[in-house]
Amino acid sequence: MWFSKLKDFFFPEGTESRRLFGLFFSILVLKFMWLNLLWCMLSTFTPFSKIETYADTILISLVLLLPLVCFRAVKTTLAIFVLLDCLFVANLMYFRTYFTAIPLDSYLLASNLSDFTSSVFESLRLVDLFFPLSTVVAGILWWRNFRCKRNTTEVKKHASGSVFTRYILLILLVLLIPAVRLWSQNGFKAAYERLQDAYLHTCNVPMYTIFGSLYYDYTCDNVVYTPEIKGSIDSWLSRKAEYKSVVPQTSYDNCIIILAESLESWVLNKEVEGQELTPSLNRILQDSSVIYAPHVLLQVKGGRSIDAQLLINSGLLPINSGPYSIKFPESYYPSLIKAFKEKYKDGKAYSLTVDKPMVWNQCIIAPVMGYDSLVSKTCFVREEPVGSRKQVGDRAFLRQCLHKIQENEVWDDSGHTILQCITYSGHNPFILPDSLKKVSFSKDIPEVLNNYMTMANYTDRALGEFISRLKADKRFDNTLVMIMGDHEALGTVRKKLCNDPAGKQIVSDKPFVPLVILNAPCSLYYGEVMGQVDVYPTLLDLLGLNDYWWHGLGESIFDPDKPGFDIDPQLNIVGDTAGVPESDIRMAKQAWEISDQIIRYDYLGHKLNVREEPVKAVAVK
C-alpha cells in the first residue's frame, strides 16, 4: 500500500508514463549492472556486497532520466543511452588492458588510438553487444508501445513544475544513502582512496560508477604539466650529486631478485626463548661473498608491494597518493631490466608471483618495467596453502620457481636472465597451518608477534631450501642473488608491541627491512641507514650496468660520499645527519615530490620522446 502511494506521489501523470519510465529505468539499471558484472568477472565480485554499488547506480539512473520524466524527451534519452554505451564499452576495453578506468585527461588523447587500431579491436568482446542492443530494444519498445500515445495534455503535465519538483525530491531522497555513507568515511576522496590497495582497486567503478571515477580524477588532476614543473624537476636532477662508485668491476650473466613479503630486519640473527628465528639466513650471512645491509628504511606508500618493485626496478620513490601502477601505468619507467637488456641484447626477464595478474596491475606494470613474462597464480600448483586466502606457501612457491629454472621455463642457457620472485606468505594476519610450524613461543609473547615470528621462520626455511638447491646448479656461479623484505609487517601495532614487556625485548621500533646479496664480488656489512630507493643504483653497480643513463633518485652503497640517513614516507629523517649540509637534507625531502611529478606528468617519457604501445606480460604456463 505504501509503495503504491509513493508511486502515485512521485509519478502522478498516469499509467502510460509510469510504464515508459519503468521501461527506460530498468534498461538503464541493467546497463550499469552488466558493466559491473563484466568488470568484476575480471577482478573481484566484492562490489556486489557493497551498498554503494546499488545506491549509486539507482541515483545516477534517476539523474540521467531527468529529460524523460520531466519533458518526455525520449529521443534525448536514447541519445544519452548511446553516449553511455560508448562510455561503458570504451572503459571496459581500457580495463581489459590496464585494470582501471580511463583517466579523465586521456579522453582528450583519443586520436592516439589510430596508432593502436589492432590493440583496440582485440579488446572488444561479444558480451559488449549488450549495451548497444539494450538501447535498440528500448527504442523499439518505445516506438511500438508508447510513441502514438503521447498527447498535448500529458506533455504539459510532464513540463509542469509539480512533476519536476517531485522528481528532484525523489533524487534527493535517494542521494541521502550515499551521502551518509560518504560522510561516515570522511568524504568521497577518502572513501575512494581506501579502495586503492592490492585487491580493491578495481572496485571503484562498480561502487561509484564511471562518473565517480571521472570526478575523482578531476579532484586529483587540477594541476597540469607546466614549464615551471619541468623546470623544478630539471633543477633538482641537475643538483643531484655526480655518480661515484668504488665497487670492483663486475659482470653477471644472471640475477635473481627475491622480494620477501613483510620480512623485517630484526628477525635476522635473533633468538627468542632459545629458538633461532631465521637460521637459514643467519648461515647465509656468514658466507664470504655476501653483502648485508640490515637498516634499509621502508619507503613504500599506498602501493605497498608494488611500490617496492618501483623502488628496486626503477629507482623512483612512490607517488603521493595511491599506487603508481594503477594511476599512471602509461608513464615511461626506466628500469634495471631495460639497463640489463641494453647491455645484453639476448637478455630475458621474468616476474614470478602467486597472485592474480590484476593485483596491483602487475600484468601491465611488469612489461612496462621490461619484463618479458609475468608468471602468475595459474602457473603454480596450490601446495602448502598459507594465509587467510590460502595462497601457495613460500616453500612450495620457491620450490616450483626452482623447478621452472631447472626446466628452462624461465631461464635460457644460451642467454642472460633476470628473475623477480615475489613471495606471499608473510601477509598479515600471518596464518600458518600447525603442520608447517617449526617454532613455538610462550603465551607471554603477544599473539600477533608470535604469529609473525612463526611465519618469518617459515619464510626463512623456504629461502634456505631455495638457495641451497640453487647453489647446486652450475649457473649459480655467475648469478647475483638479492633478497630483500618488500615492506614492514607490523604497521600500527609496532608501538603497542614496543611498549609490551615481552615485545620490547624483541621488536625494533624502526621499520627496517633487510637487504642480503649473495655471490657478491666482496663481503660487506653496510650498517648505515639506507633507503629502499638506494637498492636500484646498488644493483646497477653490482651487475656492471652503471653506464645506463638513469641512476635513480638514490645513491649506491658503493658511493663513498653516500650519507648515512634517508627520508621516510612521512618526510621524517632517519639515520645520522652529522656533517650533512642542510641543503642535502632539503634535497632528500624534495625527492619525494620530484618523483611524484616525474611519474604523474611522464617527465621521462617526454624527455626521451617515448611513446610505447601498451602490452600485457605473456603468461608462462
Side-chain angles (χ1 to χ4, degrees), residues 104 188-194 196 204 210-222 321-323 327 600:
L104 180 60
F188 172 77
K189 196 166 186 290
Y192 194 95
E193 289 179 348
R194 284 195 185 93
Q196 293 186 350
N204 47 15
I210 291 289
F211 303 102
S213 173
L214 294 174
Y215 176 70
Y216 175 77
D217 287 345
Y218 173 76
T219 62
C220 294
D221 296 334
N222 286 331
S321 175
K327 297 182 71 173
R600 182 178 301 275

Side-chain angles (χ1 to χ4, degrees), residues 77-135:
T77 304
L78 289 174
I80 291 172
F81 277 22
V82 171
L83 293 174
L84 203 62
D85 294 340
C86 295
L87 182 68
F88 285 178
V89 172
N91 275 275
L92 276 170
M93 291 163 63
Y94 192 88
F95 181 72
R96 287 167 185 144
T97 300
Y98 292 113
F99 281 96
T100 185
I102 300 174
L104 180 60
D105 52 7
S106 292
Y107 286 91
L108 300 176
L109 304 176
S111 59
N112 292 336
L113 292 175
S114 59
D115 297 329
F116 311 129
T117 305
S118 59
S119 299
V120 170
F121 283 113
E122 286 175 7
S123 298
L124 283 169
R125 301 290 183 272
L126 195 61
V127 290
D128 299 341
L129 285 174
F130 174 83
F131 298 105
L133 288 178
S134 61
T135 298

Side-chain angles (χ1 to χ4, degrees), residues 3 5 20 65 100 131 222 283 370 383 389 435 603 607:
F3 179 76
K5 290 182 178 179
L20 179 62
L65 290 176
T100 185
F131 298 105
N222 286 331
R283 283 194 299 272
E383 300 175 316
R389 297 175 59 240
S435 60
Y603 169 84
K607 185 182 180 70

Side-chain angles (χ1 to χ4, degrees), residues 260-270 277-278 281 292-296 298 304 426 430 449 452 456 459 484-494 497-498 506-515:
E261 174 66 37
S262 304
L263 183 65
E264 297 197 6
S265 291
W266 60 265
V267 297
L268 276 68
N269 291 320
K270 172 77 73 174
L277 298 184
T278 58
L281 284 172
Y292 177 42
H295 301 132
V296 182
L298 169 82
R304 300 291 284 172
F430 321 123
L449 183 55
Y452 175 70
T459 295
M484 192 186 82
D486 64 347
H487 53 72
E488 52 77 34
L490 301 176
T492 56
V493 302
R494 183 182 306 279
L497 290 173
C498 288
I506 302 171
V507 177
S508 168
D509 63 347
K510 297 288 191 302
F512 291 133
V513 296
L515 172 66

Side-chain angles (χ1 to χ4, degrees), residues 286-302:
Q286 303 307 311
D287 197 290
S288 60
S289 59
V290 166
I291 295 171
Y292 177 42
H295 301 132
V296 182
L297 179 65
L298 169 82
Q299 290 182 311
V300 303
K301 291 184 75 174

